Amino acid sequence: MEEKEKDKLEFRSLENIEVRESEDEAKELVLEGYIAKFDSATELWTGYFEKIDRSAFDDTLKDGHNIFLLYSHDYSKPLASTRNETLKLSVDKAGLKFEAKVNSKLSYASDVHELVKSGEVRGCSFGFRVLQHSVEYDRENDTVMRTLKKIDLREGTITAIPAYEDTVVQARAKQFREEFNNKDEEVRALTQDLDELELLYLEKEFGGNING
């Protein structure tokens, strides 16, 4: 089942980012790592899995809108942006990679750099809107797999607590299960009706002696 949508902002997180310091005269602080990984199914909630398609970011990186790298989703603490070319985003086989040149004169930016360098801050998150996705329900295991097909990327963020805390997704997991369960009930009811019709037909044809 494939759907198109554009509603509330969602957030996902990823642990393990790297940090290095550039060697140029400006001594810029550079953060780099992955904002998202492809084709890696993550269990957001019990029985609800999600993965990102390899082409999910293609359109959003081409349309030219400004994307910020923030600290802890705080727009009052920008670290870099695509508009001023301090944030570079690129797609490779593994996922969506970022490289951010951070202004060392900003006190909070230096703090973030040191926190990442020391390992106190290890995660990266991103805020986005889903434009297109597909959903598959595994009836045997009672699990849902959501694949993000097209994403409108709004921000990346360096975060101390990388976690999946999106209540919108949790609500959708329940909704998808209910929808598929309802469809199962409809199929079972239809199958029962067909069985009853077949039985009536056989009784009519063979005068009730349907066992030979």
Side-chain angles (χ1 to χ4, degrees):
M1 181 175 67
E2 187 165 316
E3 297 180 357
K4 294 182 179 180
E5 58 178 55
K6 187 174 183 180
D7 44 29
K8 295 182 179 180
L9 196 66
E10 300 184 28
F11 298 94
R12 300 291 182 275
S13 300
L14 184 71
E15 289 192 16
N16 298 325
I17 55 175
E18 301 172 356
V19 61
R20 66 179 176 84
E21 188 171 351
S22 66
E23 299 297 330
D24 59 17
E25 293 181 0
K27 289 294 179 182
E28 294 172 313
L29 305 178
V30 178
L31 300 173
E32 62 181 9
Y34 285 91
I35 289 178
K37 292 290 186 72
F38 297 142
D39 296 330
S40 178
T42 301
E43 188 171 16
L44 303 186
W45 313 102
T46 302
Y48 183 90
F49 295 84
E50 185 179 81
K51 63 182 179 179
I52 303 173
D53 188 81
R54 291 179 179 272
S55 62
F57 293 101
D58 289 354
D59 290 346
T60 195
L61 295 182
K62 292 177 182 177
D63 67 18
H65 75 277
N66 190 33
I67 301 171
F68 283 101
L69 181 69
L70 309 171
Y71 178 57
S72 196
H73 299 289
D74 188 347
Y75 276 89
S76 70
K77 294 182 178 180
L79 298 171
S81 73
T82 55
R83 180 173 55 197
N84 61 13
E85 299 183 347
T86 53
L87 176 62
K88 293 183 179 179
L89 299 171
S90 60
V91 171
D92 62 18
K93 293 181 179 179
L96 178 63
K97 192 173 184 178
F98 77 93
E99 179 182 275
K101 293 182 179 180
V102 180
N103 186 349
S104 61
K105 294 180 180 180
L106 297 173
S107 59
Y108 67 84
S110 295
D111 291 343
V112 170
H113 183 271
E114 290 302 319
L115 287 169
V116 173
K117 195 172 183 179
S118 68
E120 294 297 327
V121 173
R122 301 173 52 203
C124 190
S125 176
F126 65 102
F128 64 100
R129 290 183 175 87
V130 178
L131 303 182
Q132 188 174 349
H133 71 179
S134 64
V135 179
E136 296 179 1
Y137 178 59
D138 184 336
R139 293 177 176 85
E140 183 177 351
N141 297 309
D142 189 29
T143 58
V144 174
M145 172 64 76
R146 183 193 191 201
T147 302
L148 305 183
K149 298 281 192 177
K150 187 178 294 186
I151 290 173
D152 174 27
L153 181 63
R154 308 312 301 175
E155 60 161 272
T157 195
I158 306 299
T159 177
I161 308 175
Y164 295 89
E165 299 177 349
D166 193 335
T167 56
V168 174
V169 173
Q170 187 179 25
R172 280 184 182 147
K174 181 179 179 181
Q175 175 190 345
F176 289 142
R177 271 205 189 88
E178 289 176 351
E179 287 178 357
F180 282 113
N181 285 336
N182 289 339
K183 287 182 180 179
D184 276 346
E185 290 177 4
E186 291 175 4
V187 170
R188 284 194 293 269
L190 180 59
T191 301
Q192 184 177 355
D193 290 343
L194 290 174
D195 288 342
E196 290 176 356
L197 286 173
E198 183 178 9
L199 182 60
L200 289 173
Y201 171 77
L202 292 173
E203 288 178 345
K204 181 179 178 181
E205 287 294 312
F206 299 100
N209 185 18
I210 60 174
N211 293 320

